[in-house]
Amino acid sequence: RDRSGRIKAFVGGQVKKPEHGKDLVLTIDLVRQAALEDELRRGVRESKAAWGTAVAMDPETGAVLAMANVPTYNPNRPGTATDASRRNRAITDRFEPGSTFKLVGATAAVDQGTVAMSDSVDTGNGWAVFHGHTMKDGAAYGTISFAQVLSKSSNVGMAKTVKQHVEPGTFYQYARNMGFSTPTWIDLPGEQEGVLKMPDEWSQTTLTSMSIGYEVSITPLQLVTAYSALANGGELMKPYVVAEKRGVRGHTLWRNEPETIRRVMAAETAETLRPAFEQAVETGTATEAQIEGLRVAGKTGTALQVADGHYTKKQARASFVGFFPADDPEVTLLVIVGAPKTSIYGGAVAAPIFRRVARRWAGTFPSVVDRMTAEAST
């Protein structure tokens, strides 16, 4: 190359022939990806939200089945899009999760044997004061079972249970074991770790706040990975998007194998907890996620965002994370909608997106089709 940038042959120079590139085979299916993008775009539009993100995973292997963001951009013309549009929010954005984080306190209490699902919890008139800070429920539930604390998403019930039955160090350890505050090490760039304060940094209200998903910062991918552990019987799997590497002639050079990071709960604990999350869809806060002929389990979340030193509904994040079929999960799917204007609640905004995606995806899983067919014929 000369000083003008022109490339010329150099007599006697070394000739290096080009090599054919290798192929990557992804875990992402084009049909499912298109359906997820379509329904997420529709949900963000209908709720008049600022943005949305969704990620689906095979809970048994950790393979990412689809991942979508709205707004998005054309990779062929990245310069025409804003920085926000080019961000993969599923792995780069950190947020306070709200009620979806109640999985941590529930797992710690049940796994340690300090709480049973049938135990009674007095939630009073729908509010309680913890160290001078008032916590509220969506309604006055009175005395309910711990299973109903989850299905009805009682903030008061969860905070009281964790405060009385889970030590701060134990809660922290379960949250960390579930992957919060550490990278998932997915094979994609830009992943954030999240923020999980150590117990010696906690204030008097941290434990009760964390029990309902505040004073902690996580990524969407961390959350869907944790719920995949609940779905598969207690094992935290490493997420990945590259399934195989193939040579020029199509032969497989390398194949990704599922990797278990650690066991985060006993299999019996996962089996005990799952019916409560299924009840959340059947009769609780996530009835909009119901699918005829298909058992679904999941949890809604509504998290306010801090603006000018105060939590505000204007920038709320509505979410729903669930898996199906509930008794033998094939898919774990998380949907988060940012700053919706029609409603701030995950059950009203995110759950319908989950339902529509699951309906369109059901036909791509033969075992799910067989279940739905059998259910319809009975």
Side-chain angles (χ1 to χ4, degrees):
R1 184 188 299 271
D2 63 18
R3 59 187 178 185
S4 299
R6 294 186 295 264
I7 298 176
K8 301 178 180 179
F10 178 69
V11 178
Q14 183 178 3
V15 177
K16 186 175 181 181
K17 295 183 178 180
E19 296 181 4
H20 289 284
K22 299 179 178 64
D23 289 330
L24 293 181
V25 180
L26 303 184
T27 59
I28 293 175
D29 177 85
L30 182 59
V31 173
R32 297 172 190 159
Q33 177 70 22
L36 183 62
E37 291 183 3
D38 185 39
E39 295 299 345
L40 182 63
R41 189 181 304 109
R42 173 185 171 185
V44 169
R45 182 179 65 251
E46 290 180 349
S47 62
K48 300 178 182 179
W51 56 270
T53 187
V55 56
M57 181 182 294
D58 180 341
E60 294 294 334
T61 65
V64 175
L65 303 176
M67 185 180 289
N69 293 280
V70 173
T72 187
Y73 74 104
N74 183 351
N76 296 311
R77 302 178 62 194
T80 62
T82 63
D83 290 341
S85 299
R86 295 197 302 268
R87 200 164 68 234
N88 185 358
R89 294 179 182 273
I91 63 175
T92 64
D93 281 23
R94 299 182 298 188
F95 66 102
E96 288 181 303
S99 291
T100 52
F101 203 70
K102 289 173 181 173
L103 172 65
V104 176
T107 299
V110 174
D111 204 50
Q112 291 290 307
T114 57
V115 174
M117 302 304 290
S118 59
D119 286 353
S120 296
V121 181
D122 182 13
T123 66
N125 294 322
W127 62 275
V129 178
F130 298 98
H131 298 287
H133 292 268
T134 301
M135 184 177 293
K136 296 180 180 180
D137 281 339
Y141 300 122
T143 300
I144 55 178
S145 68
F146 183 61
Q148 290 176 305
V149 167
L150 289 172
S151 64
K152 295 179 180 295
S153 199
S154 170
N155 293 331
V156 174
M158 180 56 68
K160 281 188 174 181
T161 300
V162 169
K163 183 177 175 61
Q164 294 172 9
H165 301 287
V166 181
E167 294 294 326
T170 301
F171 186 94
Y172 171 81
Q173 193 60 57
Y174 272 87
R176 188 168 175 82
N177 285 349
M178 287 184 178
F180 301 114
S181 85
T182 58
T184 66
W185 302 115
I186 189 173
D187 43 1
L188 288 173
E191 182 183 15
Q192 297 296 309
E193 296 183 356
V195 178
L196 179 66
K197 295 185 293 185
M198 297 184 67
D200 59 4
E201 301 173 327
W202 290 10
S203 67
Q204 289 183 321
T205 61
T206 298
L207 181 59
T208 52
S209 294
M210 275 191 179
S211 71
I212 63 169
Y214 286 93
E215 290 197 41
V216 59
S217 181
I218 69 173
T219 67
L221 185 63
Q222 288 174 337
L223 186 60
V224 75
T225 304
Y227 270 83
S228 290
L230 172 65
N232 69 27
E235 293 185 338
L236 192 72
M237 306 301 295
K238 178 183 176 182
Y240 62 96
V241 297
V242 178
E244 293 181 10
K245 183 190 294 184
R246 293 180 180 174
V248 179
R249 301 181 184 275
H251 58 287
T252 301
L253 301 174
W254 171 85
R255 179 178 289 110
N256 209 337
E257 298 294 337
E259 182 180 342
T260 302
I261 299 174
R262 68 180 71 87
R263 175 165 287 280
V264 299
M265 68 183 83
E268 295 78 9
T269 300
E271 187 175 350
T272 300
L273 287 171
R274 276 197 294 261
F277 289 90
E278 192 171 356
Q279 186 179 351
V281 176
E282 292 175 353
T283 61
T285 59
T287 55
E288 288 294 322
Q290 291 178 4
I291 302 170
E292 186 177 356
L294 186 62
R295 292 171 60 182
V296 177
K299 185 75 189 70
T300 56
T302 303
L304 307 183
Q305 185 175 353
V306 175
D308 299 325
H310 301 281
Y311 282 101
T312 174
K313 294 181 179 180
K314 293 182 180 179
Q315 295 294 326
R317 300 179 184 89
S319 61
F320 177 79
V321 55
F323 46 86
F324 63 89
D327 55 335
D328 188 16
E330 294 268 7
V331 178
T332 308
L333 172 61
L334 167 66
V335 178
I336 302 176
V337 179
K341 291 183 171 59
T342 57
S343 172
I344 65 171
Y345 298 106
V349 176
I353 300 174
F354 176 98
R355 182 187 68 244
R356 293 194 295 263
V357 172
R359 279 177 174 171
R360 293 178 63 172
W361 278 29
T364 66
F365 294 93
S367 60
V368 176
V369 172
D370 291 343
R371 283 168 175 266
M372 297 180 73
T373 303
E375 183 75 19
S377 62
T378 57

